[in-house]
Amino acid sequence: STAPMHGFAPRLRGAAARRRSGAPAALTSSAGGAPPGVPLSCPLPGVPKAVFAAAEGRERFETRVTALENGLRVASQRKFGQFCTVGLLINSGSRHEAKYLSGISHFLEKLAFSSTAQFGSKDEILLTLEKHGGICDCQASRDTIMYAVSADAKGLDTVVNLLADVALQPRLSDEEIEMTRMAIRFELEDLNMRPDPEPLLTEMIHAAAYRENTVGLNRFCPVENTNKIDRQVLHSYLRNYYTPDRMVLAGVGIEHEQLVECAKKYLLGVEPVWGSAQAKDVDRSVAQYTGGIVKVEKDMSDVSLGPTPIPELTHIMIGLESCSFLEEDFIPFAVLNMMMGGGGSFSAGGPGKGMFTRLYLNVLNRHHWMYNATSYHHSYEDTGLLCIHASADPKQVREMVEIITREFILMAGAVGEVELERAKTQLKSMLMMNLESRPVIFEDVGRQVLATNTRKLPHELCALISQVKSADIKRVVTKMLHKKPAVAALGDLTDLPTYEHIQAALSSKDGRLPRVYRLFR
């Protein structure tokens, strides 16, 4: 057979070529080893001395921040590659809407990258970005709105010009506002019909934890407000919150000086479309944790029909106040959240997938009827919320609530050394893996600079994670358990324990609900 010869031919040709090029005979020996009698620790005879590239210091990768005269901050992070991610982060979100119609941030998110003073339509913007291989996105959260573009680094000037125009010179035409109203109504309908209730429960738990203040305000625009929000309402909001001192222009994968020059060119001394009047009504309220319960009775039997329907479930979320991401206790809470972990009953995988977390070992593995048990940690500039989401059949709601309250009480108990180290390693691994992605680095740079004017680098965060002891976990949990719980419940709530009973369970030693004796069943 001639087949094996095909594999040898290129190798033989390669060896002959190396000999013709004057490569030392020692390097072309068929065995591929060093000449006889020369140990591998010695330099090979006839080979020029290797020149190694110098390892660059950490300072090369530090986040650089420059403040412009108008208060706008420019932050950049170097990253190898042809593409960059640049965007504007603005300290504005649903938490600032107390004096306004609820839903303005949701409107602004949907209206982003529409027509502006320079660009006649969304298509024109996309066409401009296409020339630099770019894509754009806008995301509004409770405390920040973010306009971002990923494109070829050579198109930086165009990108910053576009971002400045989109944020400060939007046309907000009647046609665009009407289209946005339709898009929001569709999104709200979809939200209520979706089999995954997590976005809805997150809204409910925030509303329960911070009743009618700051982060407890609804992130989505209520249906009744869609017709009330017009250009005038949007302009009055933008005048107060889209000011340079509340903005950060962040970039990853570009030179800092170049970004600063572009910022000065397009964001310094620019008069926005709503005028340059001073901001009067800026809400600087600090979040007030209230605790409480939000219940929504809903028929979940037809949420997911089809060939593989999801069974009818009742969803519960129980949360307690944690801390702000600016506090030192934020890191122990992040480790605790990783230690609790959890997921759905159909999750698959080994240790790396979190199968050794407490909510897997103690809840999902022991109670086959539990459909879901997941821990979440929401953290803001002035507060935080650690919660557990659980789903089960409506008939087992009471038992499910007791299992979750017991897990909260067990958090304050002994923490095994192996368990703690595993959670810390997993948290570091997740952090480093996420920060390989350029858009994630961009968001991290922008959010940290917006909140603190500086940025903690990954190696600093990893050092802080390594320092967490089991005593720290116990301390933060004990403090957390002294607060009133926040409860969100969705679905068939016939067997849901009362709020007072849930509160009593979280104040007890074993997390058990008070016994209920019924005369008639």
Side-chain angles (χ1 to χ4, degrees):
S1 165
T2 57
M5 291 305 292
H6 294 305
F8 281 101
R11 273 185 272 172
L12 291 169
R13 282 201 297 273
R18 282 199 297 275
R19 285 202 186 91
R20 281 200 300 275
S21 68
L27 293 181
T28 58
S29 62
S30 57
V38 179
L40 288 174
S41 56
C42 294
L44 291 172
V47 177
K49 195 171 181 226
V51 180
F52 295 103
E56 289 171 332
R58 271 185 182 149
E59 62 281 353
R60 175 96 195 270
F61 297 97
E62 279 180 8
T63 305
R64 293 180 63 188
V65 182
T66 301
L68 303 186
E69 297 92 284
N70 62 354
L72 181 124
R73 284 152 291 173
V74 181
S76 76
Q77 177 81 44
R78 295 189 64 158
K79 184 171 170 64
F80 178 76
Q82 185 185 344
F83 278 74
C84 65
T85 299
V86 182
L88 268 175
L89 286 94
I90 304 165
N91 191 354
S92 143
S94 58
R95 69 170 294 164
H96 301 108
E97 292 171 3
K99 297 176 185 173
Y100 291 89
L101 286 168
S102 173
I104 290 178
S105 300
H106 193 189
F107 249 80
L108 290 170
E109 179 187 52
K110 292 277 174 280
L111 279 164
F113 295 100
S114 297
S115 66
T116 68
Q118 282 183 52
F119 301 93
S121 67
K122 196 170 209 149
D123 289 345
E124 206 176 309
I125 288 175
L126 296 175
L127 208 64
T128 307
L129 284 174
E130 219 170 82
K131 290 171 188 166
H132 301 285
I135 53 167
C136 61
D137 186 27
C138 177
Q139 286 180 13
S141 62
R142 294 193 137 72
D143 51 1
T144 316
I145 191 160
M146 185 169 67
Y147 297 86
V149 170
S150 282
D152 193 308
K154 288 178 188 146
L156 182 66
D157 192 79
T158 310
V159 166
V160 177
N161 177 21
L162 171 68
L163 285 165
D165 218 43
V166 162
L168 301 175
Q169 309 284 337
R171 278 193 191 157
L172 306 178
S173 69
D174 293 341
E175 190 189 348
E176 284 167 352
I177 287 173
E178 193 49 52
M179 290 290 282
T180 301
R181 285 178 184 142
M182 287 166 64
I184 284 173
R185 284 186 206 121
F186 174 79
E187 191 177 340
L188 293 172
E189 242 176 82
D190 179 58
L191 205 64
N192 287 310
M193 290 163 62
R194 210 183 288 179
D196 172 29
E198 208 262 311
L200 215 54
L201 278 165
T202 302
E203 286 307 302
M204 289 163 66
I205 196 90
H206 278 83
Y210 306 93
R211 198 166 286 279
E212 291 173 10
N213 77 86
T214 57
V215 292
L217 299 175
N218 201 335
R219 196 167 69 83
F220 298 106
C221 179
V223 179
E224 62 273 16
N225 285 0
T226 49
N227 285 330
K228 296 176 191 169
I229 295 174
D230 55 20
R231 192 189 299 115
Q232 195 182 342
V233 172
L234 293 169
H235 276 187
S236 71
Y237 177 86
L238 292 164
R239 192 173 293 115
N240 286 318
Y241 290 99
Y242 276 40
T243 53
D245 56 307
R246 301 178 70 88
M247 293 183 185
V248 167
L249 177 70
V252 175
I254 30 94
E255 293 295 332
H256 186 71
E257 288 74 18
Q258 204 184 344
L259 188 63
V260 171
E261 281 309 308
C262 289
K264 283 179 179 172
K265 190 173 168 186
Y266 298 111
L267 288 157
L268 201 58
V270 177
E271 181 162 332
V273 72
W274 47 86
S276 54
Q278 282 294 102
K280 295 189 201 77
D281 263 352
V282 178
D283 185 0
R284 302 191 194 280
S285 314
V286 174
Q288 301 297 315
Y289 180 83
T290 57
I293 186 165
V294 171
K295 298 189 281 188
V296 176
E297 281 272 1
K298 190 179 172 191
D299 179 16
M300 307 284 276
S301 56
D302 59 349
V303 162
S304 170
L305 303 170
T308 53
I310 293 174
E312 184 185 351
L313 298 168
T314 294
H315 303 273
I316 305 288
M317 212 180 243
I318 299 175
L320 289 162
E321 190 183 19
S322 58
C323 73
S324 123
F325 60 71
L326 299 175
E327 293 176 48
E328 284 182 8
D329 283 347
F330 172 66
I331 300 289
F333 269 117
V335 174
L336 170 68
N337 180 49
M338 193 53 87
M339 193 171 82
M340 297 310 292
S345 56
F346 294 119
S347 304
K353 294 280 181 73
M355 293 307 223
F356 283 95
T357 57
R358 283 195 182 183
L359 292 178
Y360 263 113
L361 295 176
N362 304 349
V363 178
L364 293 165
N365 285 356
R366 293 186 188 178
H367 308 283
H368 64 90
W369 46 270
M370 285 280 275
Y371 198 83
N372 183 3
T374 316
S375 173
Y376 294 96
H377 188 213
H378 306 278
S379 203
Y380 305 96
E381 249 183 275
D382 48 2
T383 185
L385 192 65
L386 185 96
C387 37
I388 295 177
H389 167 206
S391 317
D393 187 275
K395 293 184 186 68
Q396 285 164 310
V397 168
R398 189 180 170 82
E399 199 178 342
M400 168 171 72
V401 169
E402 190 169 78
I403 287 165
I404 299 308
T405 53
R406 214 178 308 158
E407 282 306 313
F408 269 112
I409 297 297
L410 286 170
M411 284 181 197
V415 178
E417 199 55 44
V418 174
E419 176 184 41
L420 181 65
E421 284 307 313
R422 186 185 284 125
K424 280 154 60 171
T425 306
Q426 227 177 323
L427 183 60
K428 285 186 231 171
S429 164
M430 189 185 78
L431 174 77
M432 300 312 281
M433 190 173 74
N434 287 342
L435 288 174
E436 282 181 15
S437 160
R438 198 181 55 252
V440 175
I441 301 172
F442 154 76
E443 193 175 337
D444 187 49
V445 168
R447 282 181 182 276
Q448 285 201 50
V449 172
L450 198 60
T452 64
N453 289 325
T454 57
R455 177 178 180 238
K456 274 197 174 86
L457 292 174
H459 66 268
E460 295 174 68
L461 291 170
C462 285
L464 290 171
I465 293 166
S466 298
Q467 288 165 19
V468 175
K469 309 263 190 308
S470 55
D472 296 325
I473 303 285
K474 194 168 183 174
R475 175 175 52 79
V476 298
V477 172
T478 307
K479 186 177 162 189
M480 180 175 74
L481 286 168
H482 282 122
K483 305 274 173 71
K484 282 174 70 179
V487 181
L490 177 71
D492 178 349
L493 309 178
T494 316
D495 290 339
L496 179 73
T498 63
Y499 178 73
E500 290 71 26
H501 279 191
I502 295 171
Q503 199 174 348
L506 287 167
S507 308
S508 67
K509 283 183 178 173
D510 56 3
R512 289 186 181 279
L513 290 163
R515 295 299 99 194
V516 177
Y517 299 101
R518 291 184 190 166
L519 203 55
F520 304 105
R521 286 213 171 265

